[in-house]
Amino acid sequence: MTEMSKIKHHLTGPLLMGYAAGTLPEAFNLVVATHISMCDSCRAALAEYDAVGGEVMMSGAPVAVAEDALNATLALIDRGVVEEAPAKKTAGGIFPAPLQSYVNGDLESVKWRKVGGGVSQMILKTSDEASVRLLRIPAGTAVPDHGHHGTELTLVLQGAFVDESDRFAAGDVEVANEDMNHTPVAEAGLDCICLAATDAPLRFNGLMPRLAQKFMNI
Amino acid sequence: MNDMLTDTNALANADAPSAVTSYDGAAAQLFRKVGKQKVTAEVATKRMAWVAELYAVRDNKDRAAFAELFGHFAPRVKSFLMKSGASPDLAEECTQEVMATLWNKAHLFDPTKASVSTWIFTIARNRKIDLLRKQRRPEPEDLPWGPEAEPEAADAMGLQQETEQLGRALATLPEEQRRLIERAYFGELSHSEIAAETGLPLGTIKSRIRLALDRLRHAMK
Protein backbone atom coordinates (compact mmCIF):
# COMPACT_ATOMS: atom_id res chain seq x y z
CA MET A 1 0.00 0.00 0.00
CA THR A 2 2.81 2.40 -0.80
CA GLU A 3 0.50 4.01 -3.34
CA MET A 4 -1.42 5.75 -0.56
CA SER A 5 0.65 8.89 -0.45
CA LYS A 6 0.52 9.22 -4.23
CA ILE A 7 -3.24 9.75 -4.39
CA LYS A 8 -3.79 13.11 -6.05
CA HIS A 9 -7.51 13.23 -6.79
CA HIS A 10 -9.84 13.07 -3.81
CA LEU A 11 -13.54 13.03 -2.98
CA THR A 12 -15.29 16.41 -2.81
CA GLY A 13 -16.71 17.93 0.38
CA PRO A 14 -20.34 17.52 -0.72
CA LEU A 15 -19.78 13.81 -1.46
CA LEU A 16 -18.12 13.22 1.90
CA MET A 17 -20.93 15.10 3.63
CA GLY A 18 -23.54 13.09 1.73
CA TYR A 19 -21.80 9.86 2.69
CA ALA A 20 -21.60 10.95 6.35
CA ALA A 21 -25.27 11.94 6.26
CA GLY A 22 -26.21 8.62 4.69
CA THR A 23 -28.10 10.27 1.86
CA LEU A 24 -26.09 9.19 -1.21
CA PRO A 25 -27.31 6.43 -3.51
CA GLU A 26 -25.84 3.02 -2.64
CA ALA A 27 -23.76 3.00 -5.85
CA PHE A 28 -22.01 6.22 -4.79
CA ASN A 29 -21.56 4.93 -1.24
CA LEU A 30 -19.65 1.98 -2.66
CA VAL A 31 -17.22 4.22 -4.57
CA VAL A 32 -16.78 6.49 -1.54
CA ALA A 33 -16.18 3.57 0.88
CA THR A 34 -13.72 1.98 -1.56
CA HIS A 35 -11.76 5.21 -2.05
CA ILE A 36 -11.64 5.90 1.71
CA SER A 37 -10.27 2.39 2.22
CA MET A 38 -7.32 3.50 0.06
CA CYS A 39 -6.98 7.14 1.16
CA ASP A 40 -6.06 8.35 4.66
CA SER A 41 -6.72 11.95 3.83
CA CYS A 42 -10.35 11.30 2.86
CA ARG A 43 -10.74 8.95 5.84
CA ALA A 44 -9.74 11.81 8.12
CA ALA A 45 -12.00 14.27 6.29
CA LEU A 46 -14.91 11.84 6.68
CA ALA A 47 -14.31 11.65 10.45
CA GLU A 48 -14.91 15.37 10.52
CA TYR A 49 -18.15 15.21 8.52
CA ASP A 50 -19.31 12.42 10.85
CA ALA A 51 -18.57 14.77 13.76
CA VAL A 52 -20.71 17.48 12.12
CA GLY A 53 -23.51 14.92 11.88
CA GLY A 54 -23.13 14.11 15.57
CA GLU A 55 -23.39 17.77 16.49
CA VAL A 56 -26.42 18.27 14.22
CA MET A 57 -28.05 15.34 16.00
CA MET A 58 -27.17 16.76 19.43
CA SER A 59 -28.46 20.23 18.58
CA GLY A 60 -31.97 19.02 17.76
CA ALA A 61 -34.79 19.34 20.30
CA PRO A 62 -34.95 15.97 22.14
CA VAL A 63 -38.07 13.87 21.54
CA ALA A 64 -39.33 11.87 24.53
CA VAL A 65 -38.86 8.13 24.19
CA ALA A 66 -41.47 5.60 25.36
CA GLU A 67 -41.83 5.30 29.12
CA ASP A 68 -40.45 1.77 29.17
CA ALA A 69 -37.82 2.44 26.46
CA LEU A 70 -34.80 1.87 28.70
CA ASN A 71 -36.14 -1.45 30.00
CA ALA A 72 -37.20 -2.53 26.53
CA THR A 73 -33.67 -1.78 25.31
CA LEU A 74 -32.08 -3.70 28.19
CA ALA A 75 -34.38 -6.63 27.34
CA LEU A 76 -33.21 -6.37 23.73
CA ILE A 77 -29.61 -6.49 24.96
CA ASP A 78 -30.35 -9.48 27.21
CA ARG A 79 -31.85 -11.37 24.30
CA GLY A 80 -28.43 -11.07 22.69
CA VAL A 81 -27.91 -9.90 19.13
CA VAL A 82 -24.95 -10.79 17.02
CA GLU A 83 -23.41 -7.65 15.57
CA GLU A 84 -21.46 -8.15 12.39
CA ALA A 85 -17.75 -7.44 12.61
CA PRO A 86 -16.27 -4.68 10.44
CA ALA A 87 -15.01 -5.88 7.07
CA LYS A 88 -11.40 -6.94 6.70
CA LYS A 89 -9.67 -7.21 3.36
CA THR A 90 -8.79 -10.62 2.00
CA ALA A 91 -5.02 -10.93 1.92
CA GLY A 92 -3.29 -10.31 -1.37
CA GLY A 93 -6.21 -8.80 -3.27
CA ILE A 94 -6.26 -5.48 -5.09
CA PHE A 95 -9.89 -4.65 -4.20
CA PRO A 96 -10.53 -3.00 -0.83
CA ALA A 97 -12.96 -4.87 1.48
CA PRO A 98 -16.21 -3.01 0.60
CA LEU A 99 -15.70 -3.73 -3.09
CA GLN A 100 -14.76 -7.36 -2.42
CA SER A 101 -18.09 -7.83 -0.67
CA TYR A 102 -20.01 -6.60 -3.74
CA VAL A 103 -17.94 -8.71 -6.16
CA ASN A 104 -17.87 -11.72 -3.81
CA GLY A 105 -14.13 -11.93 -4.19
CA ASP A 106 -11.24 -10.10 -5.78
CA LEU A 107 -10.21 -9.41 -9.36
CA GLU A 108 -10.25 -13.10 -10.33
CA SER A 109 -13.93 -13.38 -9.29
CA VAL A 110 -15.13 -10.61 -11.63
CA LYS A 111 -17.49 -11.85 -14.35
CA TRP A 112 -16.46 -9.60 -17.23
CA ARG A 113 -18.77 -8.97 -20.18
CA LYS A 114 -17.43 -7.40 -23.37
CA VAL A 115 -19.09 -4.11 -24.27
CA GLY A 116 -17.17 -3.22 -27.44
CA GLY A 117 -13.90 -1.53 -28.26
CA GLY A 118 -12.06 -4.05 -26.09
CA VAL A 119 -13.74 -2.65 -22.98
CA SER A 120 -15.36 -5.06 -20.51
CA GLN A 121 -17.62 -4.41 -17.56
CA MET A 122 -19.43 -5.99 -14.67
CA ILE A 123 -22.47 -4.21 -13.26
CA LEU A 124 -22.72 -4.54 -9.47
CA LYS A 125 -26.09 -4.89 -7.82
CA THR A 126 -27.18 -1.82 -5.85
CA SER A 127 -30.36 0.22 -5.31
CA ASP A 128 -31.61 1.69 -8.58
CA GLU A 129 -31.20 5.47 -7.89
CA ALA A 130 -27.73 5.10 -9.42
CA SER A 131 -25.63 2.37 -10.98
CA VAL A 132 -22.08 1.18 -10.44
CA ARG A 133 -19.87 -1.01 -12.58
CA LEU A 134 -16.35 -2.31 -12.80
CA LEU A 135 -14.69 -1.37 -16.08
CA ARG A 136 -11.63 -2.96 -17.66
CA ILE A 137 -10.03 -0.81 -20.34
CA PRO A 138 -7.12 -2.48 -22.14
CA ALA A 139 -3.86 -0.53 -21.91
CA GLY A 140 -3.73 2.14 -24.62
CA THR A 141 -7.49 2.03 -25.37
CA ALA A 142 -9.86 5.01 -25.32
CA VAL A 143 -13.35 4.97 -23.82
CA PRO A 144 -15.77 6.71 -26.23
CA ASP A 145 -16.10 10.47 -25.79
CA HIS A 146 -19.01 11.07 -23.46
CA GLY A 147 -20.71 13.77 -21.46
CA HIS A 148 -22.81 13.44 -18.33
CA HIS A 149 -26.30 14.30 -17.26
CA GLY A 150 -25.73 13.74 -13.57
CA THR A 151 -22.63 12.98 -11.56
CA GLU A 152 -20.11 10.30 -12.48
CA LEU A 153 -17.50 9.01 -10.04
CA THR A 154 -14.61 7.01 -11.45
CA LEU A 155 -12.15 5.39 -9.06
CA VAL A 156 -9.00 3.80 -10.49
CA LEU A 157 -8.10 0.43 -8.92
CA GLN A 158 -5.28 -0.64 -11.23
CA GLY A 159 -3.35 1.02 -14.05
CA ALA A 160 -4.07 4.63 -14.98
CA PHE A 161 -6.02 6.75 -17.43
CA VAL A 162 -5.48 10.18 -18.86
CA ASP A 163 -8.17 12.55 -20.04
CA GLU A 164 -8.39 16.22 -20.98
CA SER A 165 -8.20 17.26 -17.34
CA ASP A 166 -5.39 15.16 -15.84
CA ARG A 167 -3.88 11.75 -15.15
CA PHE A 168 -5.65 9.35 -12.79
CA ALA A 169 -3.76 6.44 -11.21
CA ALA A 170 -4.62 3.79 -8.60
CA GLY A 171 -6.57 5.35 -5.74
CA ASP A 172 -7.45 8.53 -7.65
CA VAL A 173 -11.12 9.36 -8.05
CA GLU A 174 -12.50 11.59 -10.79
CA VAL A 175 -15.72 13.45 -10.01
CA ALA A 176 -17.34 14.49 -13.30
CA ASN A 177 -20.51 16.53 -13.68
CA GLU A 178 -22.66 17.67 -16.54
CA ASP A 179 -20.31 20.43 -17.69
CA MET A 180 -17.72 17.85 -18.57
CA ASN A 181 -17.09 15.98 -21.79
CA HIS A 182 -14.11 13.71 -21.74
CA THR A 183 -12.34 10.91 -23.53
CA PRO A 184 -10.41 8.84 -21.00
CA VAL A 185 -7.51 6.84 -22.48
CA ALA A 186 -5.93 3.96 -20.56
CA GLU A 187 -2.16 4.31 -20.28
CA ALA A 188 0.22 1.75 -21.72
CA GLY A 189 1.27 -0.98 -19.30
CA LEU A 190 -1.38 -2.61 -17.10
CA ASP A 191 -5.03 -2.75 -18.17
CA CYS A 192 -6.91 0.02 -16.42
CA ILE A 193 -9.51 -1.23 -13.96
CA CYS A 194 -11.97 1.30 -12.59
CA LEU A 195 -15.04 1.39 -10.40
CA ALA A 196 -17.48 3.86 -11.95
CA ALA A 197 -20.81 5.06 -10.57
CA THR A 198 -23.34 7.36 -12.18
CA ASP A 199 -26.76 8.68 -11.18
CA ALA A 200 -27.86 9.30 -14.78
CA PRO A 201 -27.29 7.64 -18.14
CA LEU A 202 -24.03 8.70 -19.78
CA ARG A 203 -24.43 10.79 -22.92
CA PHE A 204 -22.19 9.59 -25.70
CA ASN A 205 -21.28 11.95 -28.53
CA GLY A 206 -21.69 10.21 -31.88
CA LEU A 207 -23.84 7.44 -33.33
CA MET A 208 -21.68 4.37 -32.74
CA PRO A 209 -21.14 5.08 -29.06
CA ARG A 210 -24.89 5.65 -28.69
CA LEU A 211 -25.44 2.12 -29.99
CA ALA A 212 -22.75 0.88 -27.65
CA GLN A 213 -24.54 2.67 -24.84
CA LYS A 214 -27.62 0.61 -25.54
CA PHE A 215 -25.67 -2.60 -25.16
CA MET A 216 -23.62 -1.40 -22.23
CA ASN A 217 -26.87 -0.69 -20.43
CA ILE A 218 -25.67 2.72 -19.27
CA MET B 1 -1.76 8.55 31.43
CA ASN B 2 -3.17 5.66 29.45
CA ASP B 3 -4.37 4.06 32.63
CA MET B 4 -6.84 6.82 33.24
CA LEU B 5 -8.62 6.06 30.01
CA THR B 6 -8.36 2.34 29.77
CA ASP B 7 -8.70 1.31 33.40
CA THR B 8 -12.42 1.68 33.94
CA ASN B 9 -12.13 0.60 37.52
CA ALA B 10 -10.47 3.88 38.23
CA LEU B 11 -13.30 5.70 36.52
CA ALA B 12 -16.46 3.76 37.15
CA ASN B 13 -15.81 2.28 40.54
CA ALA B 14 -14.66 5.45 42.22
CA ASP B 15 -16.51 5.69 45.51
CA ALA B 16 -19.14 8.34 45.06
CA PRO B 17 -22.77 8.80 46.12
CA SER B 18 -24.23 8.36 42.66
CA ALA B 19 -23.18 7.12 39.26
CA VAL B 20 -23.46 10.57 37.74
CA THR B 21 -21.11 12.37 40.08
CA SER B 22 -18.77 9.43 39.92
CA TYR B 23 -18.30 9.69 36.16
CA ASP B 24 -18.15 13.46 36.22
CA GLY B 25 -15.62 13.33 39.00
CA ALA B 26 -13.44 10.84 37.20
CA ALA B 27 -13.54 12.89 34.04
CA ALA B 28 -12.71 16.07 35.89
CA GLN B 29 -9.77 14.34 37.46
CA LEU B 30 -8.69 13.17 34.05
CA PHE B 31 -9.03 16.67 32.72
CA ARG B 32 -6.87 18.14 35.46
CA LYS B 33 -4.29 15.50 34.76
CA VAL B 34 -4.15 16.00 31.01
CA GLY B 35 -5.36 19.41 30.31
CA LYS B 36 -3.74 22.74 30.22
CA GLN B 37 -5.80 23.46 27.16
CA LYS B 38 -8.09 26.31 26.34
CA VAL B 39 -11.58 24.80 26.44
CA THR B 40 -13.33 25.11 29.79
CA ALA B 41 -13.28 22.31 32.33
CA GLU B 42 -17.06 21.70 32.27
CA VAL B 43 -17.01 21.14 28.54
CA ALA B 44 -14.26 18.55 28.55
CA THR B 45 -15.78 17.04 31.69
CA LYS B 46 -19.12 16.47 29.97
CA ARG B 47 -17.62 14.73 26.95
CA MET B 48 -15.07 12.77 28.94
CA ALA B 49 -17.88 11.65 31.27
CA TRP B 50 -19.63 10.11 28.26
CA VAL B 51 -16.39 8.32 27.42
CA ALA B 52 -16.08 7.05 31.00
CA GLU B 53 -19.69 5.83 30.92
CA LEU B 54 -19.15 4.00 27.67
CA TYR B 55 -16.01 2.35 29.08
CA ALA B 56 -18.03 1.28 32.13
CA VAL B 57 -20.55 -0.33 29.79
CA ARG B 58 -17.78 -2.02 27.84
CA ASP B 59 -15.77 -3.31 30.78
CA ASN B 60 -18.30 -3.85 33.54
CA LYS B 61 -21.64 -4.14 31.73
CA ASP B 62 -22.57 -1.22 33.98
CA ARG B 63 -26.33 -0.63 33.66
CA ALA B 64 -26.28 2.63 35.62
CA ALA B 65 -23.75 4.05 33.19
CA PHE B 66 -25.86 2.79 30.29
CA ALA B 67 -28.94 4.45 31.78
CA GLU B 68 -27.05 7.76 31.89
CA LEU B 69 -26.08 7.46 28.23
CA PHE B 70 -29.58 6.35 27.32
CA GLY B 71 -31.22 9.29 29.08
CA HIS B 72 -29.00 11.73 27.28
CA PHE B 73 -28.73 10.27 23.80
CA ALA B 74 -31.89 8.23 23.10
CA PRO B 75 -34.21 11.29 22.84
CA ARG B 76 -31.74 12.93 20.44
CA VAL B 77 -31.40 9.83 18.30
CA LYS B 78 -35.21 9.63 18.13
CA SER B 79 -35.42 13.29 17.17
CA PHE B 80 -32.80 12.82 14.43
CA LEU B 81 -34.61 9.77 13.02
CA MET B 82 -37.97 11.56 12.96
CA LYS B 83 -36.45 14.55 11.20
CA SER B 84 -34.98 12.10 8.69
CA GLY B 85 -38.46 10.87 7.83
CA ALA B 86 -39.20 8.04 10.29
CA SER B 87 -42.67 7.81 11.86
CA PRO B 88 -42.69 8.18 15.67
CA ASP B 89 -43.21 4.41 16.10
CA LEU B 90 -40.44 3.44 13.73
CA ALA B 91 -38.13 6.06 15.26
CA GLU B 92 -38.82 4.65 18.73
CA GLU B 93 -38.07 1.08 17.67
CA CYS B 94 -35.01 2.16 15.76
CA THR B 95 -33.71 4.25 18.69
CA GLN B 96 -33.87 1.24 21.00
CA GLU B 97 -31.92 -0.81 18.46
CA VAL B 98 -29.32 1.95 18.12
CA MET B 99 -28.84 2.07 21.90
CA ALA B 100 -28.59 -1.74 22.07
CA THR B 101 -25.91 -1.58 19.37
CA LEU B 102 -24.02 0.93 21.51
CA TRP B 103 -23.94 -1.71 24.27
CA ASN B 104 -22.92 -4.50 21.91
CA LYS B 105 -20.24 -2.56 20.07
CA ALA B 106 -18.81 -0.61 23.01
CA HIS B 107 -15.49 -2.42 22.52
CA LEU B 108 -15.12 -0.77 19.09
CA PHE B 109 -15.36 2.79 20.41
CA ASP B 110 -12.13 4.79 20.33
CA PRO B 111 -12.18 8.29 21.91
CA THR B 112 -9.11 9.38 19.95
CA LYS B 113 -11.13 9.02 16.71
CA ALA B 114 -14.62 10.09 17.69
CA SER B 115 -16.61 11.77 20.39
CA VAL B 116 -19.42 9.62 21.85
CA SER B 117 -21.95 11.90 20.11
CA THR B 118 -20.21 11.28 16.75
CA TRP B 119 -20.08 7.54 17.31
CA ILE B 120 -23.75 7.26 18.25
CA PHE B 121 -24.64 9.39 15.23
CA THR B 122 -22.85 6.94 12.90
CA ILE B 123 -24.75 4.00 14.45
CA ALA B 124 -28.06 5.87 14.06
CA ARG B 125 -27.23 6.85 10.49
CA ASN B 126 -26.44 3.26 9.50
CA ARG B 127 -29.67 2.03 11.09
CA LYS B 128 -31.54 4.74 9.21
CA ILE B 129 -30.12 3.60 5.86
CA ASP B 130 -30.95 0.01 6.67
CA LEU B 131 -34.48 0.64 7.91
CA LEU B 132 -35.70 3.71 6.01
CA ARG B 133 -33.87 3.32 2.73
CA LYS B 134 -33.63 -0.47 2.78
CA GLN B 135 -30.10 -0.45 1.42
CA ARG B 136 -26.79 -1.98 2.28
CA ARG B 137 -24.25 0.46 3.59
CA PRO B 138 -20.76 -0.18 2.21
CA GLU B 139 -18.26 0.85 4.90
CA PRO B 140 -14.55 1.56 4.45
CA GLU B 141 -12.38 -1.35 5.48
CA ASP B 142 -11.10 -1.34 9.01
CA LEU B 143 -7.52 -0.31 9.58
CA PRO B 144 -5.47 -2.84 11.49
CA TRP B 145 -4.85 -0.62 14.53
CA GLY B 146 -1.98 -2.30 16.32
CA PRO B 147 -1.19 -2.31 20.00
CA GLU B 148 0.89 0.82 19.32
CA ALA B 149 -2.37 2.60 18.75
CA GLU B 150 -3.61 2.35 22.37
CA PRO B 151 -5.74 5.43 23.05
CA GLU B 152 -3.69 8.28 24.46
CA ALA B 153 -5.57 10.34 27.03
CA ALA B 154 -4.26 13.60 25.60
CA ASP B 155 -5.40 12.64 22.08
CA ALA B 156 -8.80 11.61 23.38
CA MET B 157 -9.17 14.87 25.28
CA GLY B 158 -8.08 16.90 22.27
CA LEU B 159 -10.63 15.26 20.01
CA GLN B 160 -13.44 15.72 22.55
CA GLN B 161 -12.59 19.40 22.81
CA GLU B 162 -12.45 19.89 19.07
CA THR B 163 -15.81 18.20 18.64
CA GLU B 164 -17.26 20.48 21.31
CA GLN B 165 -15.86 23.49 19.45
CA LEU B 166 -17.42 22.21 16.23
CA GLY B 167 -20.79 21.91 17.99
CA ARG B 168 -20.53 25.46 19.30
CA ALA B 169 -19.55 26.79 15.91
CA LEU B 170 -22.61 25.08 14.43
CA ALA B 171 -24.83 26.73 17.05
CA THR B 172 -23.49 30.20 16.28
CA LEU B 173 -23.79 29.99 12.49
CA PRO B 174 -26.33 32.31 10.88
CA GLU B 175 -29.75 30.62 10.96
CA GLU B 176 -29.97 30.11 7.21
CA GLN B 177 -26.58 28.46 6.97
CA ARG B 178 -27.22 26.22 9.96
CA ARG B 179 -30.56 25.15 8.46
CA LEU B 180 -28.79 24.19 5.25
CA ILE B 181 -26.35 21.90 7.05
CA GLU B 182 -29.18 20.33 9.04
CA ARG B 183 -31.16 19.72 5.88
CA ALA B 184 -28.14 17.99 4.33
CA TYR B 185 -27.97 15.58 7.28
CA PHE B 186 -31.73 15.00 7.42
CA GLY B 187 -31.67 13.97 3.77
CA GLU B 188 -33.49 16.99 2.38
CA LEU B 189 -30.61 17.95 0.07
CA SER B 190 -28.94 15.88 -2.63
CA HIS B 191 -25.14 15.84 -2.77
CA SER B 192 -25.22 18.19 -5.73
CA GLU B 193 -27.34 20.64 -3.73
CA ILE B 194 -24.94 20.60 -0.80
CA ALA B 195 -22.77 23.68 -1.09
CA ALA B 196 -19.09 23.04 -0.60
CA GLU B 197 -18.76 25.97 1.82
CA THR B 198 -20.31 25.03 5.14
CA GLY B 199 -19.02 27.96 7.15
CA LEU B 200 -17.84 25.52 9.81
CA PRO B 201 -14.25 25.63 11.04
CA LEU B 202 -13.41 22.27 9.47
CA GLY B 203 -9.86 21.00 9.45
CA THR B 204 -8.92 20.57 13.12
CA ILE B 205 -10.44 17.14 13.67
CA LYS B 206 -9.29 16.12 10.22
CA SER B 207 -5.67 17.01 10.91
CA ARG B 208 -5.75 15.24 14.29
CA ILE B 209 -7.07 12.01 12.71
CA ARG B 210 -4.61 12.41 9.85
CA LEU B 211 -1.71 12.56 12.31
CA ALA B 212 -2.97 9.42 14.05
CA LEU B 213 -3.20 7.59 10.72
CA ASP B 214 0.31 8.70 9.75
CA ARG B 215 1.61 7.41 13.10
CA LEU B 216 -0.17 4.12 12.53
CA ARG B 217 1.25 3.67 9.03
CA HIS B 218 4.68 4.48 10.37
CA ALA B 219 4.31 1.95 13.21
CA MET B 220 3.26 -0.78 10.78
CA LYS B 221 6.31 -0.38 8.55
Side-chain angles (χ1 to χ4, degrees):
Chain A
M1 290 264 142
T2 44
E3 317 242 13
M4 299 265 181
S5 51
K6 292 191 203 141
I7 294 176
K8 222 170 86 187
H9 299 278
H10 299 274
L11 294 163
T12 61
L15 280 166
L16 284 166
M17 192 187 251
Y19 182 76
T23 55
L24 295 183
E26 186 182 354
F28 283 12
N29 280 343
L30 179 58
V31 178
V32 171
T34 305
H35 175 78
I36 288 173
S37 300
M38 305 166 88
C39 177
D40 284 355
S41 121
C42 287
R43 191 185 284 267
L46 173 67
E48 192 142 58
Y49 283 106
D50 282 345
V52 175
E55 297 322 293
V56 166
M57 182 181 83
M58 295 310 285
S59 69
V63 172
V65 291
E67 223 170 290
D68 66 339
L70 175 59
N71 285 331
T73 304
L74 287 168
L76 200 62
I77 290 164
D78 289 336
R79 240 176 285 150
V81 195
V82 183
E83 300 282 349
E84 46 191 294
K88 291 234 161 47
K89 188 179 164 179
T90 315
I94 69 160
F95 293 168
L99 179 55
Q100 285 186 343
S101 83
Y102 275 76
V103 172
N104 278 321
D106 207 76
L107 186 54
E108 70 282 352
S109 307
V110 178
K111 295 181 181 66
W112 294 111
R113 281 168 181 268
K114 291 199 165 56
V115 289
V119 178
S120 309
Q121 71 169 5
M122 178 187 181
I123 296 174
L124 304 175
K125 197 174 155 21
T126 58
S127 69
D128 55 13
E129 318 144 82
S131 64
V132 61
R133 73 203 60 235
L134 279 162
L135 285 170
R136 186 179 63 197
I137 309 153
T141 306
V143 172
D145 182 20
H146 62 285
H148 309 88
H149 283 295
T151 303
E152 186 190 44
L153 309 182
T154 309
L155 169 64
V156 180
L157 299 159
Q158 175 192 292
F161 72 80
V162 178
D163 70 7
E164 290 81 345
S165 68
D166 212 333
R167 175 179 186 269
F168 296 82
D172 283 330
V173 62
E174 181 176 52
V175 181
N177 58 31
E178 34 204 72
D179 310 326
M180 193 175 193
N181 272 290
H182 65 165
T183 312
V185 181
E187 269 186 4
L190 282 173
D191 287 352
C192 181
I193 295 175
C194 300
L195 181 67
T198 176
D199 57 2
L202 302 189
R203 185 177 63 221
F204 283 94
N205 305 321
L207 177 64
M208 277 313 285
R210 226 171 271 143
L211 284 174
Q213 178 171 11
K214 203 173 159 194
F215 294 112
M216 282 168 85
N217 190 21
I218 52 183
Chain B
M1 198 151 67
N2 267 349
D3 286 353
M4 284 306 294
L5 264 181
T6 49
D7 180 3
T8 0
N9 293 334
L11 294 174
N13 297 347
D15 286 328
S18 80
V20 192
T21 47
S22 158
Y23 301 125
D24 284 349
Q29 201 186 339
L30 180 61
F31 177 76
R32 278 194 298 278
K33 196 162 166 136
V34 180
K36 293 183 182 70
Q37 287 149 36
K38 289 184 204 109
V39 175
T40 59
E42 315 93 84
V43 163
T45 300
K46 178 185 74 178
R47 287 192 182 255
M48 290 311 283
W50 297 341
V51 173
E53 284 161 0
L54 196 48
Y55 278 171
V57 167
R58 179 191 71 184
D59 296 338
N60 304 329
K61 309 259 173 245
D62 184 329
R63 293 193 174 216
F66 183 72
E68 284 296 324
L69 289 168
F70 192 94
H72 193 73
F73 288 100
R76 285 167 169 96
V77 169
K78 186 170 178 183
S79 164
F80 168 72
L81 293 169
M82 285 174 62
K83 285 186 184 133
S84 302
S87 69
D89 284 352
L90 185 62
E92 175 72 36
E93 182 193 330
C94 200
T95 297
Q96 294 179 15
E97 286 165 359
V98 166
M99 297 310 290
T101 301
L102 171 137
W103 177 289
N104 292 327
K105 290 195 169 175
H107 61 285
L108 294 176
F109 173 72
D110 179 345
T112 66
K113 305 207 181 53
S115 185
V116 174
S117 55
T118 306
W119 192 62
I120 294 179
F121 163 75
T122 61
I123 297 173
R125 175 215 44 216
N126 289 1
R127 201 75 197 98
K128 172 184 97 172
I129 294 172
D130 195 20
L131 226 72
L132 286 181
R133 304 188 62 204
K134 313 220 180 301
Q135 291 180 10
R136 279 173 77 185
R137 160 87 178 180
E139 289 280 340
E141 73 189 24
D142 234 20
L143 289 180
W145 300 98
E148 301 85 355
E150 268 294 299
E152 284 281 349
D155 288 343
M157 180 71 81
L159 190 78
Q160 306 306 312
Q161 286 170 336
E162 284 159 9
T163 311
E164 179 67 26
Q165 279 158 359
L166 187 66
R168 290 181 178 207
L170 179 68
T172 55
L173 280 183
E175 171 71 13
E176 202 179 326
Q177 209 168 3
R178 190 170 51 79
R179 261 308 284 154
L180 202 68
I181 293 171
E182 287 172 359
R183 288 176 62 209
Y185 281 88
F186 298 147
E188 295 166 20
L189 294 182
S190 74
H191 67 276
S192 45
E193 290 168 326
I194 298 174
E197 273 307 318
T198 59
L200 286 167
L202 296 182
T204 52
I205 294 173
K206 177 175 149 183
S207 41
R208 175 174 297 276
I209 304 268
R210 186 61 217 252
L211 273 176
L213 292 170
D214 288 346
R215 265 208 308 266
L216 169 72
R217 300 281 182 210
H218 189 73
M220 288 193 308
K221 267 183 194 146

